[in-house]
Amino acid sequence: MDNGIISEILELKDEKDAVILAHSYQPPEIQDIADHVGDSLQLSRTAASTRSSVIVFCGVRFMAETAHILSPEKTVLLPEPEAGCPLADCIEVPALRSMQDVYPDALTVLYVNSPADVKAESYACCTSANALEVVESVPSDEIIFAPDRNLGTFVSRKSDKTIHIWNGACRCHATADIQNIRAVMEEWSDAELLVHPETPPEVWELAHAVLGTGGMIKHVAESSSQRFIIGTEEGMAYRLKTLYPDREFRTGGNIYCVNMKKITLQKILDSLKKLEPAIELDTEIREKAYAAVARMTEITG
Ligand code: CIZ
C-alpha cells in the first residue's frame, strides 16, 4: 500500500472540503480510505446529508448521478468517468416509452441501477433492498419493472401484482458460476450461502437467503453462523470481514465487476486536485428523476 498517496488524498480532502464515499463493491484500498462505505442508497443519503461541499463518489456512474440528483448543490466527482454499468446502459428512454405504451395502466418501478434520464420517465425508483416494498406500495396493481429481470422475477414471485419485466441483467451477477458456488459449498459445508437477487433463480435455490448488500450486513449480524459464502461482487466479502472480523467469508460464483475496479487511489487524487470529472445533468431531467427517487424514500423512509 502506498502510504504517500493516501496521505496526499487525506490532506487534499480536508483542503477541498470533500467527503469520500465508497460502494461495498470497491477494492479494499478504496474502502479503507473512505469516510463512508455502503450501498448506493445509503451513500446517496449520506451525500444528501453531508456538510461537505465536494463528494468523491467511488462507485459507478448511476450511483454518482443519484447522489447528484439528491444533492444538486454539491460537486459530485466520479474519479473515473468510464466507470459505467452495463445493466444501467441496457435501458433507454425510447424503448421504455414503447413498453409504457403497451401497458398504459402500469406504473414504472425502476431499479436505481439505471441512467438519470430513464429515472425521469419512471414513477418510483427502488433498490435491491426495498424493491418488493416499493412495488407493493405504488398505487397500481400493474407494474413495469426495469431493468433487471432477475430482481424483477424475485419481486414478482413475492407479489400478487401483474409485473411486466424488462429483459436486462447485470453481466457479472447474471453469469454467476454455479459450479464454483457448489464447489465452495462442498468445502465449507457449515457455511450459509447469501446471494444477490441479480443472480439467476437457479442460484437462489441453493441459497440460505437472497439479499441486497445492506440485507447481507443485517443478516450476518443476526445469524449465529460463523462462516458465510457471499454470492455477490467480491468487494462485499471484504466489507463484511471489516464489519465482522470474528466471522469468516468467502466469495462464491466468481462475481467481479470490472467497472467498480476502475476507481484507483491515483484517480481519486487526480480528481481531488482538479475537482473533476464532476457529474452534470440537465436540470429538467434531474428534477424529474428526483421525483422518482423521492417517491422511493417516501415509501421506505
Ligand atoms: O444498490 C446497490 O448499491 C447495489 C448495486 C447493490 C446492492 O445490493 O446494494
Side-chain angles (χ1 to χ4, degrees):
M1 181 65 58
D2 181 348
N3 290 326
I5 192 166
I6 293 174
S7 313
E8 261 191 275
I9 289 172
L10 298 181
E11 269 171 42
L12 209 52
K13 184 182 77 152
D14 287 346
E15 204 180 290
K16 303 276 182 159
D17 186 32
V19 65
I20 299 178
L21 309 185
H23 193 270
S24 303
Y25 295 163
Q26 285 288 292
E29 67 277 15
I30 308 280
Q31 294 193 30
D32 287 347
I33 59 142
D35 296 294
H36 302 276
V37 183
D39 65 18
S40 54
L41 183 64
Q42 289 166 330
L43 294 178
S44 291
R45 286 194 173 131
T46 306
S49 61
T50 181
R51 291 195 183 162
S52 305
S53 55
V54 175
I55 293 161
V56 184
F57 206 109
C58 304
V60 294
R61 173 164 291 274
F62 79 82
M63 298 177 178
E65 280 183 357
T66 308
H68 177 62
I69 288 164
L70 284 169
S71 43
E73 71 292 352
K74 292 166 191 156
T75 301
V76 179
L77 303 172
L78 180 62
E80 169 49 67
E82 297 297 316
C85 171
L87 170 59
D89 293 343
C90 81
I91 184 162
E92 287 180 354
V93 169
L96 176 63
R97 283 190 183 155
S98 300
M99 192 167 178
Q100 289 168 332
D101 287 344
V102 175
Y103 305 110
D105 296 330
L107 289 179
T108 301
V109 173
L110 193 76
Y111 192 26
V112 283
N113 303 35
S114 51
D117 59 344
V118 182
K119 286 188 174 76
E121 301 286 320
S122 307
Y123 180 77
C125 286
C126 72
T127 67
S128 53
N130 61 26
L132 179 63
E133 194 182 353
V134 173
V135 163
E136 294 296 77
S137 305
V138 299
S140 172
D141 286 335
E142 194 180 355
I143 304 290
I144 292 172
F145 189 94
D148 191 88
R149 65 169 178 263
N150 289 330
L151 182 59
T153 302
F154 183 72
V155 170
S156 70
R157 288 187 183 182
K158 292 176 182 283
S159 171
D160 290 333
K161 294 195 177 187
T162 302
I163 305 183
H164 310 290
I165 302 170
W166 187 273
N167 189 14
C170 162
R171 274 187 208 158
C172 49
H173 282 91
T175 55
D177 179 348
I178 300 185
Q179 298 315 320
N180 174 265
I181 294 178
R182 286 190 200 279
V184 178
M185 286 174 83
E186 258 178 51
E187 279 177 38
W188 272 22
S189 55
D190 58 332
E192 283 189 47
L193 170 67
L194 310 182
V195 304
H196 198 278
E198 287 176 19
T199 58
E202 54 270 31
V203 172
W204 312 339
E205 279 152 25
L206 303 174
H208 292 78
V210 183
L211 299 159
T213 58
M216 288 181 185
I217 290 172
K218 280 195 209 125
H219 182 96
V220 173
E222 288 160 12
S223 169
S224 56
S225 297
Q226 187 57 26
R227 306 215 274 190
F228 300 86
I229 302 163
I230 302 303
T232 189
E233 212 284 335
E234 59 166 45
M236 188 60 195
Y238 182 77
R239 173 72 180 140
L240 286 165
K241 187 68 189 164
T242 307
L243 291 171
Y244 306 107
D246 57 329
R247 314 283 189 99
E248 291 179 78
F249 302 93
R250 272 181 80 174
T251 50
N254 297 324
I255 303 173
Y256 178 86
C257 175
V258 283
N259 281 291
M260 281 285 175
K261 285 9 182 202
K262 285 180 180 166
I263 308 289
T264 62
L265 291 173
Q266 186 62 50
K267 287 176 190 171
I268 294 174
L269 181 62
D270 294 345
S271 159
L272 272 168
K273 277 183 183 160
K274 298 183 201 146
L275 288 185
E276 60 182 39
I279 298 290
E280 282 175 26
L281 293 172
D282 171 87
T283 307
E284 195 187 337
I285 287 176
R286 179 172 53 69
E287 287 175 355
K288 284 170 86 183
Y290 176 83
V293 177
R295 278 209 183 92
M296 167 178 73
T297 48
E298 278 157 23
I299 291 166
T300 62

